[in-house]
Amino acid sequence: MLALRMPWPLPALVAWACAWLIFVALQREVPPVAALLVACLLGTAASVLGDSWWRRGLIAAGFPLSLALLGAATLPTWAWLVPLALLLLVYPLNAWRDAPLFPTPHHALQSLASQAPLPLGARVLDAGSGVGDGLKALRHAYPAAQLEGIEWSWPLRLLCALRCPWARVRRADMWAEDWSPYRMVYLFQRPESMARAAAKAQAELATGAWLVSLEFAVPGVLPCAQLRAPGGRVVWLYRMPLNRVEA
């Protein structure tokens, strides 16, 4: 996507400028609070295009912060809860305990099928699918697989479904869902959640199924293979049952 190829801080500047243009234009037609809502909604939606957590926060918060500092609108005190409510809608608190929105690079999984072959029509889950970058990378690796995504945030789930119409994308809690129907579960989480993911995979995935993690390894478990993705990131492959390191 063009926004992802823009050098920083261009994506933030474009998002802020668009939010301001919409806010100024709408003030002539609707109450200031409604104009604030639409402009903040645009900024929050644009935040998913940031390539790191802090950049996404800056994109989303830039317009309301600049509006507050400039005092360019007369708004009731409660109206300043609108940006916070929108952020919580897109990034719910329980999702913060897992990974923030980490997009999978397009070609990160291009060699995965050679190390982890799957039968035709195998079900593959992207656990925490975000806006669909992981599903796109999985489709590139396994064009004949049945791809599914789970995402807790319903705006992100909607965007993911729009970007990946060939996949089944559901709003659900990845930790509460049963992983047993899948031949592979793909994750791009964070280090603190990898032990929990491994325990769930060990308990629910069938023998021979795969747990695949981009960037972060499972502590205390030997991987079956490692792939070096473009850009230097590592893809960790684990096959069930897990091969734990002896203490």
Side-chain angles (χ1 to χ4, degrees), residues 23-228:
F23 178 73
V24 172
L26 286 179
Q27 275 197 306
R28 304 169 185 168
E29 308 292 336
V30 300
V33 173
L36 173 69
L37 174 63
V38 175
C40 289
L41 185 61
L42 173 66
T44 305
S47 72
V48 304
L49 301 176
D51 60 4
S52 68
W53 184 243
W54 68 270
R55 287 182 177 181
R56 287 188 287 274
L58 283 177
I59 293 173
F63 166 73
L65 285 177
S66 62
L67 182 64
L69 290 173
L70 292 174
T74 302
L75 296 167
T77 303
W78 61 263
W80 296 106
L81 295 175
V82 169
L84 177 60
L86 290 173
L87 280 173
L88 291 177
L89 184 66
V90 176
Y91 305 107
L93 287 176
N94 70 316
W96 295 8
R97 294 193 295 267
D98 303 322
L101 188 62
F102 290 155
T104 299
H106 182 64
H107 295 293
L109 308 179
Q110 62 185 9
S111 302
L112 182 58
S114 63
Q115 294 293 329
L118 295 176
L120 294 177
R123 293 177 68 182
V124 177
L125 175 67
D126 182 358
S129 54
V131 296
D133 296 279
L135 285 170
K136 285 178 174 286
L138 286 167
R139 191 189 191 200
H140 183 73
Y142 300 103
Q146 297 183 53
L147 299 178
E148 302 182 28
I150 289 176
E151 173 56 48
W152 180 254
S153 167
W154 71 260
L156 297 185
R157 179 263 160 199
L158 178 60
L159 183 55
C160 181
L162 290 173
R163 295 184 69 208
C164 307
W166 29 262
R168 181 188 179 211
V169 183
R170 296 177 291 119
R171 180 185 178 274
D173 182 353
M174 59 176 281
W175 302 112
E177 287 293 300
D178 182 12
W179 290 2
S180 62
Y182 302 102
R183 295 290 299 172
M184 175 181 288
V185 174
Y186 168 73
L187 301 163
F188 189 8
Q189 279 286 306
R190 57 201 272 182
E192 303 94 296
S193 57
M194 289 310 301
R196 184 182 183 187
K200 183 173 177 65
Q202 181 81 317
E204 298 179 3
L205 291 180
T207 298
W210 296 89
L211 177 68
V212 177
S213 171
L214 178 61
E215 193 80 32
F216 305 117
V218 176
V221 175
L222 291 175
C224 294
Q226 296 172 238
L227 301 176
R228 184 69 61 175

